[in-house]
């Protein structure tokens, strides 16, 4: 019990001054004059609007990445007491006084600063010397592009931080595997690996590549573990289970947690509501929730409803009809039925109301008690304002000639009978006797005569159709597609027998009260799906580049220009580091192949443990570079130089590893080794010099003269802004 | 390094099994050839059984082949009208017979073979192949269908032999053959004029030859080894020559070869010279030979198609000069661009076309309501422009004036010949690419404003040089806004006649989009020169053809609000393709896999992964397996591993493809999946029989299992055969239909 009385409490601290010093200079380089410039710099304009949404707790949808990164930035705003009141509309706009610039930029800067000591730790944990480790950290420290990117309100530095953290904690874990499996520190590093991976993925989807790399290395290690016959079967199983939980289950849970917090924070309706389903919108405060509050849940015969298409492409819209008819002859000479148009209309309108009618009765009001409509029932849909019935027939649709025209039936007394019976098909039913519910049910209308399905084709009609969207009957019930699915958004029980009364009723707002809740998983899956499928128009950008431009730094991005002087901030790397890192990767690959072939013929140039270290360093650093770089060749979105920074970081880690290897194993004599050392020092000095020369473009603190700027344009492809005075 | 790494899929580990195969095969023959089974005991010593074995094997192979041909050729002439994509590939076959140049997204070999088959069987190329459903009438179409069916029928003996080689077990091979023979999907796909049977033939032939040459690994450089190795190369060329998905089998063979070489390289008993010989042999047979053959198909393609046809506009001006009937063929035009010339301007980006305008305005709400300017792929009078000086309107063709050449850096005006409007741009957003400026036709009878002025520049040339027709790569820079004339490659909506958008881009980055060349050039005052100097070399033609094909493939994007087939639909047989007919009065053919076969395949993949990983972990844990089980586990891991790899290679890449996908893309993968099923069930049943060895009936478990599988598959084919051979009468929803009750999934529409 009282053991501490017998023995003194001893705290032994093991402080690596290298790490402390590196952290200090890292902080200095990233935090120095952080609040300058007090203006919106480049993509801050993009992330800033989302921070404002968080501050105001308004729901938004951003397809560029999961919410953790945005939330991190918003945390900075929250800590600085930001109220969200700033108009993010223009790069270069001066921040008003209520924007806590310093604290908004603090978290990315801290992440960038901590990457410096982490680089040291990683190289050290890979089994290389302190000298190499310090070298790696210093290279990260003086890399201009990394400094620029982490001093602004942007996400790459946090992504790099968590990438490095994942690799570092996995290395710590795998090194403690030898002496203390299942010890607290073993568990700590293992779980931290999983959490860091999830954080990286939570910031940007590209984090998934580092996660896969770590998983791959872990799988290879686990496979060796299975082959280790000194371990009992039970113990192997424990090892595998622990890894599966920490590297598969925990990341998924953490990722879900991000969305949970995200949805918890954003509880108010906002500008992107329209993209989401009605059920999702109803779960937000204000907006649709206010309209749908208190609607009856079950749709009954006589219900007045608006029907929203579930697909939401090209725009969310409601089933609509109006007095105008289809033109007798279209522009291209085809004929129509000349009946009343049925369209999909992207705005709320009184003509969006439809009445669910029982084909067997004439009345358009709800009985008491209401008779609910169930899956499989045959219904008619009467347009509220004109009481014409929704109809389709074997006439080609105006813009999609392979589909059927949908109209509201007008009896012209020609040989074209009404075909207005529709079978209700509830897509997300749980049983075949499910009742049609407001908002929650996703339904399809299957035409009884032709088995066509009511579908939004998405094509905008010409002028005669007021540019509303075309609705057709698709003959083939070819599987599930969002454009054939509709849901009731607004709903009330019709009470008026007479047309005039009914029109008044349709114009009046809905009342009564029921609340509806969507489960978290349902909201998560919908939000995630929309985020992945929301289309950002492929905007061409002045500073966009291709992956091939990145390796040798053939491009740059002008981030900010002082409104009056020529002080400016650029995303521009240290060309010496970029070029030598690429060279090191090449040297590594060639040496690796050479050693591999020689080993295959049983010629061992390296001792076994040295080879394993060399291979692991390559797998993590060169592999980290490859997985963070190569996939960009296959991406179709607009790419920028900053997409390369995570890959670059891994490449920089490889650089001292290769240098140390060359010095230890390829330099045969002491003289060669000293010479090589001198060369490395000279090379490092030149990197420092370049870094210092480019410093004005990194920090933007000094205004350079046009001639100085021209002198900095070392490559023709660099775009440095020179004022014409 | 742990011992397991570098194990690879080498043939060498299969070799020890060959010693055992005699007795195994003897047992295997027994149960299947029912009459022999009764007279023969399963444990008969190997030497005496070998006498019966060889003829028995040949007889089985003959039986399998016969069944396959019988099913494929049965009712081949039905329906006597165009089905589905026959309209494309039949038409392209006709193009070869008529020697007219056309463009297609697939390499030429498949269509050339179809054309050849048609030519040899008396088809004269006169049928138009306009749309599915057109009757063939008197035209001879059976030759082409028969050729495809012949190749499709060969798939089954190939699969049979491949599995036999991999598993050394006749029941496994028979099961595979039955799965494929009785699959309605494979059957349907083999009966029409399509590329798929040809593609699958080459894929399976390559797989078979690869497996065969692996089996000769203990006799390297022997005659059969060389034969199979070079046959592999030939078939690879064939597969790639039919469709680009042939690349997947190349990757698989490549992977097999690399791991094989890695094995040989690690074998210290072989000298480096021997390893070098191995390497050279593979480079020769698997790289040089296929490349040569592939190139040869293109050489034949371009040699045969020497007349101008519907594909001309997709290709560059220099390319078109080769085609007889094209206006550039044997043409002679003035060499240097001069004022007053009538020209056409072609985009340097392939498959974009000519700068075009026509008498239609941009619709209301889309920029200024002025005349549309687009690019258009086909030759047309509306592609003609007159090049004029920016500041004078005098007719430069006036014979009294001297000829004045256009020079690099000159400011010019381009007047549209038909409508006399000037090429114009201004600060309005372009219709589709919102960040660019709109390009229009403006002015009346050539009089416009300063927004009609363009500076003409030759890429990488000095100022003051003349501009060469066809050769010079030019840019047109708008004088007022400083933007560059370019084509975005995007298709305009209906109002723009689905031609491509032309914009003026403010981003001055040098891309092919903004580079043009002058193609036609008419100027009576200038002497003409012959265009023969422009003849592109064969490598240039090859490169260009590939660029155009790749762009064409990328252009096949699905539209919004359209039902498209997704890769995950395929293995579960979610939805078929309608080959012919919709209504109950039509003759209907529906491409759908036999659901029993397909779902068995799906189950087998899961079972394989499970059993495979159990064995792999057991081996890695160093478990001692009995010799029999050890042998079976080797078959499962190595033979099955190759088949699984084949399935994955032919399936997973589709998830990454952006182009529009169809159900029939899955069939190569399905072949591999069926082979895996055959191999897996045989192995599992053997394992079962082995583990039950103490029971008296154990020996029959395997026999009964295989027999019941065979019968089940055959029965399911009996149920579903109308899908392939054609259905008439009411649809399946109707209880009177022969297919009533067989619509197991709602998504099937037959």
């Amino acid at each position: 019990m009282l053991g501490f009385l017998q023995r003194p409490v001893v705290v032994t601290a093991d402080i690596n001054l290298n790490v402390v010093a590196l952290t200090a200079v890292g902080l200095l380089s990233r935090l120095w004059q952080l609040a300058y410039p007090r203006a919106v710099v480049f993509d801050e304009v993009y992330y800033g609007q989302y921070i404002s949404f968080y501050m105001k707790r308004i729901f938004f949808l951003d397809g560029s990445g999961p919410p953790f990164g945005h939330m991190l930035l918003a945390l900075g705003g929250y800590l600085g007491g930001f109220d969200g009141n700033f108009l993010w509309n223009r790069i270069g706009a001066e921040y008003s006084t209520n924007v806590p610039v310093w604290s908004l930029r603090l978290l990315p800067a801290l992440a960038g600063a901590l990457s410096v000591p982490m680089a040291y730790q990683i190289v050290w944990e890979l089994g290389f010397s302190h000298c190499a480790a310090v070298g790696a950290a210093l290279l990260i420290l003086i890399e201009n592009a990394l400094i620029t990117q982490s001093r602004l309100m942007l996400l790459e530095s946090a992504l790099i931080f968590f990438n490095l953290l994942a690799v570092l904690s996995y290395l710590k874990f795998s090194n403690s595997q030898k002496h203390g499996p299942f010890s607290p520190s073993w568990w700590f590093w293992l779980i931290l690996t999983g959490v860091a991976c999830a954080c990286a993925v939570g910031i940007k989807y590209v984090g998934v590549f580092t996660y896969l790399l770590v998983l791959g290395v872990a799988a290879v290690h686990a496979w060796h573990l299975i082959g280790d016959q000194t371990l009992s079967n039970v113990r192997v199983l424990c090892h595998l289970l622990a890894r599966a939980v920490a590297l598969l289950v925990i990341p998924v849970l953490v990722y879900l947690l991000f969305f949970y917090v995200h949805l918890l924070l954003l509880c108010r309706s906002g500008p992107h509501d329209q993209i989401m389903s009605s059920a999702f919108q109803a779960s937000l405060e204000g907006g649709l929730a206010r309209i749908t509050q208190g609607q009856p849940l079950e749709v009954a015969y006589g219900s007045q409803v608006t029907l929203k298409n579930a697909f939401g492409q090209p725009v969310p819209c409601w089933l609509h009809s109006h007095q105008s008819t289809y033109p007798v002859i279209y522009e291209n000479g085809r004929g129509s039925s000349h009946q009343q148009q049925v369209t999909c209309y992207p705005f709320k309108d009184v003509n969006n109301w439809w009445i669910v009618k029982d084909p067997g009765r004439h009345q358009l009001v709800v009985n008491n008690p209401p008779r609910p409509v169930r899956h499989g029932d045959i219904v008619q849909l009467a347009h509220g304002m004109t009481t014409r019935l929704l109809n389709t027939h074997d006439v080609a649709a105006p813009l999609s000639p392979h589909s059927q025209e949908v109209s509201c039936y007008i009896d012209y007394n020609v040989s074209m009978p009404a075909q207005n019976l529709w079978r209700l098909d509830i897509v997300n039913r749980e049983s075949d006797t499910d009742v049609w519910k407001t908002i929650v049910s996703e339904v399809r209308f299957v035409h009884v005569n032709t088995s066509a399905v009511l579908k939004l084709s998405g094509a905008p009609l010409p002028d005669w159709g007021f540019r509303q969207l075309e609705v057709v009957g698709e003959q083939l019930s070819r599987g599930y597609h969002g454009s054939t699915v509709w849901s009731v958004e607004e709903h009330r029980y019709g009470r008026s027998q007479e047309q005039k009364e009914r029109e008044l009723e349709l114009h009046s707002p809905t009342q009564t009260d029921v609340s509806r809740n969507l489960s978290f998983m349902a909201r998560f899956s919908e939000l995630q799906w929309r985020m992945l499928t929301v289309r950002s128009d492929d905007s061409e950008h002045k500073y966009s580049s291709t992956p091939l431009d990145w390796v040798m730094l053939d491009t740059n991005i002008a981030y900010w220009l002082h409104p009056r002087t020529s002080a400016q901030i650029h995303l521009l790397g240290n060309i010496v580091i970029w070029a030598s890192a690429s060279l090191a990767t090449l040297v590594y690959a060639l040496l690796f192949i050479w050693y591999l072939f020689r080993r295959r013929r049983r010629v061992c140039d390296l001792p076994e443990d040295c080879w394993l270290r060399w291979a692991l360093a390559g797998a993590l650093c060169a592999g980290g570079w490859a997985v963070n770089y190569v996939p960009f060749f296959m991406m179709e979105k607009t790419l920028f130089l900053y997409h390369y920074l995570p890959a670059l970081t891994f490449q920089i880690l490889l650089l001292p590893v290769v240098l140390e290897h060359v010095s230890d194993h390829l330099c045969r004599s002491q003289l060669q080794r000293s010479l090589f050392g001198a060369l490395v020092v000279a090379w490092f000095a030149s990197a420092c010099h370049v870094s210092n020369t480019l410093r004005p473009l990194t920090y933007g603190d000094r205004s350079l003269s046009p001639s100085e700027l021209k002198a900095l344009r070392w490559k023709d492809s660099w775009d440095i802004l020179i004022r014409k005075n | 390094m742990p011992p397991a790494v570098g194990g690879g899929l080498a043939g060498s580990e299969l070799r020890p099994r060959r010693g055992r195969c005699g007795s195994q095969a003897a047992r295997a023959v027994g149960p299947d050839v029912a009459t022999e089974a009764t007279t023969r005991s399963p444990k008969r010593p190997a030497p005496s059984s070998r006498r019966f074995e060889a003829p028995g094997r040949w007889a089985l192979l003959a039986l399998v082949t016969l069944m396959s041909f019988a099913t494929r050729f049965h009712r081949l002439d039905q329906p006597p009208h165009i089905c589905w994509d026959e309209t494309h590939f039949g038409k392209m076959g006709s193009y070869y017979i008529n020697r007219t140049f056309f463009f297609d997204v697939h390499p030429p070999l498949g269509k050339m073979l179809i054309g050849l088959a048609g030519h040899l069987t008396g088809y004269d190329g006169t049928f138009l192949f306009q749309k599915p459903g057109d009757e063939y009438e008197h035209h001879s179409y059976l030759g082409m269908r028969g050729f495809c069916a012949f190749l499709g029928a060969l798939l089954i003996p190939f699969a049979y032999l491949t599995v036999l080689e991999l598993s050394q077990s006749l029941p496994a091979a028979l099961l595979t053959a039955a799965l494929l023979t009785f699959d309605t999907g494979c059957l349907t796909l083999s009966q029409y004029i399509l590329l798929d049977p040809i593609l699958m033939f080459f894929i399976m032939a390559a797989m078979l030859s690869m497996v065969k040459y692996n089996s000769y690994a203990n006799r390297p450089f022997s005659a059969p080894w060389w034969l199979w190795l070079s046959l592999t190369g030939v078939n690879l060329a064939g597969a790639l020559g039919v469709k680009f998905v042939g690349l997947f089998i190349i990757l698989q063979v490549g992977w097999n070869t690399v791991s094989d070489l890695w094995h040989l390289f690690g074998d210290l008993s072989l000298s480096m010279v021997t390893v070098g010989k191995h390497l050279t042999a593979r480079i020769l047979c698997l790289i040089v030979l296929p490349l040569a053959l592939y190139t040869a198909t293109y050489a034949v393609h371009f040699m045969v198609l020497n007349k101008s046809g519907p594909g001309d506009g997709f290709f560059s001006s220099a390319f078109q000069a080769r085609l007889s009937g094209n206006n550039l063929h044997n043409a002679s035009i003035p060499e240097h661009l001069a004022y007053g010339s009538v020209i056409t301007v072609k985009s340097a980006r392939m498959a974009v076309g000519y700068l075009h305008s026509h008498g239609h305005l941009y619709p209301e709400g889309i920029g200024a309501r002025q005349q549309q300017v687009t690019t258009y792929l086909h030759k047309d009078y509306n592609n003609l422009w007159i090049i004029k000086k920016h500041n004078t309107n005098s007719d430069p063709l006036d014979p009294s004036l001297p000829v004045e050449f256009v020079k690099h850096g000159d400011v010019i005006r381009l007047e549209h010949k038909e409508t006399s409007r000037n090429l114009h741009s201004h600060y309005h957003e372009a219709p589709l690419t919102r960040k660019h400026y709109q390009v229009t036709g403006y002015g009346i009878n050539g009089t416009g404003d300063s927004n009609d002025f363009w500076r003409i520049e030759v890429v990488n040339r000095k100022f003051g040089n003349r501009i060469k027709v066809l050769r010079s790569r030019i840019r047109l820079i708008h004088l007022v806004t400083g933007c560059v004339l370019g084509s975005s490659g995007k298709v305009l909506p209906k109002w723009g006649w689905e031609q491509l958008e032309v914009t003026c881009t403010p981003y001055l980055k040098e891309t092919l989009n903004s580079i043009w060349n002058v193609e036609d050039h008419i100027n009576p005052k200038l002497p003409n020169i012959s265009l023969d100097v422009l003849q592109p070399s064969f490598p240039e033609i090859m490169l260009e053809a590939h660029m155009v094909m790749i762009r064409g493939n990328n252009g096949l994007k699905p539209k919004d609000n359209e039902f498209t087939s997704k890769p995950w639909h395929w293995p579960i047989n979610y939805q078929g393709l309608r080959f012919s007919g919709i209504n109950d009065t039509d003759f209907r053919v529906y491409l759908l896999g036999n659901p029993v076969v397909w779902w068995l395949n799906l189950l087998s993949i899961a079972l394989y992964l499970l059993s495979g990983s159990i064995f792999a972990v057991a081996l890695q844990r160093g478990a001692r397996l009995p010799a029999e089980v050890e042998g079976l586990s080797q078959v499962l891991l190595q033979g099955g591993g190759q088949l699984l790899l084949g399935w994955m290679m032919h399936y997973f890449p589709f998830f990454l493809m952006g182009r529009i996908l169809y159900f029939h893309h899955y069939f190569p993968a399905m072949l591999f999946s069926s082979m895996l099923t055959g191999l897996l069930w045989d192995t599992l049943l053997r394992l079962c029989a082995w583990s039950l060895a103490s029971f008296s009936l154990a020996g029959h478990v395997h026999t009964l299992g295989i027999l019941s599988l065979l019968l089940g598959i055959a029965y399911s084919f009996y149920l579903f055969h109308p899908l392939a051979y054609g259905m008439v009468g009411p649809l399946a929803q109707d209880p009177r239909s022969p297919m009533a009750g067989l619509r197991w999934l709602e998504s099937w529409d037959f």
Side-chain angles (χ1 to χ4, degrees), chain B residues 223-250:
Chain B
W225 186 88
W226 276 112
L227 174 75
W228 290 116
L229 185 59
S230 42
L231 268 184
T232 314
V234 171
N235 288 314
L236 288 184
L240 188 67
V242 176
K243 272 192 183 188
F244 284 125
V245 289
L247 195 65
F248 303 146
I249 187 73
I250 293 185

Side-chain angles (χ1 to χ4, degrees), chain B residues 50 80 133 203 248 263 381 413 431 468 649 690:
Chain B
R50 205 159 269 164
I203 288 178
F248 303 146
H263 231 77
Y381 281 115
R413 218 154 32 90
K468 282 190 184 150
M649 285 279 194
W690 173 82

Side-chain angles (χ1 to χ4, degrees), chain A residues 223 231 455 540 544 601, chain B residues 265 270 436 509 561 620:
Chain A
W223 186 246
L231 296 176
K455 178 189 166 190
E540 202 176 349
S544 65
R601 296 299 286 186
Chain B
F265 188 67
L270 299 177
H436 294 183
K509 280 227 171 104
N561 298 31
Q620 175 79 355

Side-chain angles (χ1 to χ4, degrees), chain A residues 29-54:
Chain A
S29 68
R30 266 66 176 177
L31 293 181
W32 186 69
Q33 284 201 2
L34 188 60
Y36 174 87
R38 248 199 102 77
V40 181
V41 180
F42 197 59
D43 267 357
E44 287 188 343
V45 71
Y46 179 76
Y47 295 115
Q49 49 176 330
Y50 299 126
I51 296 177
S52 285
F53 282 133
Y54 274 112

Side-chain angles (χ1 to χ4, degrees), chain A residues 122-155:
Chain A
I122 288 176
V123 175
W124 170 243
E125 291 289 337
L126 279 171
F128 291 86
S129 69
H130 278 290
C131 184
V134 171
L138 288 180
L139 287 175
I140 299 273
L141 177 75
I142 62 169
E143 168 50 52
N144 301 61
L146 291 177
I147 298 178
T148 312
Q149 198 71 10
S150 46
R151 284 171 46 80
L152 300 169
M153 203 167 73
L154 304 171
L155 290 180

Side-chain angles (χ1 to χ4, degrees), chain B residues 326-348:
Chain B
N326 188 293
N327 54 350
L328 291 176
H329 184 66
N330 283 342
S332 51
I333 53 174
E335 188 180 10
H336 291 117
L337 195 60
Y339 287 105
S341 300
V342 176
I343 57 172
T344 60
V345 182
K346 183 164 178 142
S347 172

Side-chain angles (χ1 to χ4, degrees), chain B residues 388-394 411-413 453:
Chain B
K388 292 194 168 172
K389 287 192 155 182
H390 73 284
N391 45 8
T392 68
N393 221 354
S394 64
V411 176
I412 58 151
R413 218 154 32 90
F453 300 159

Side-chain angles (χ1 to χ4, degrees), chain B residues 28 38 42 131 155 185 196 215 253 370 387 419 518 543 547 619 703:
Chain B
T38 49
K131 61 175 195 301
L155 292 179
D196 302 81
S215 75
V253 171
Q370 296 172 1
I387 188 160
T419 60
V518 176
L543 183 73
M547 296 297 294
L619 289 175
T703 324

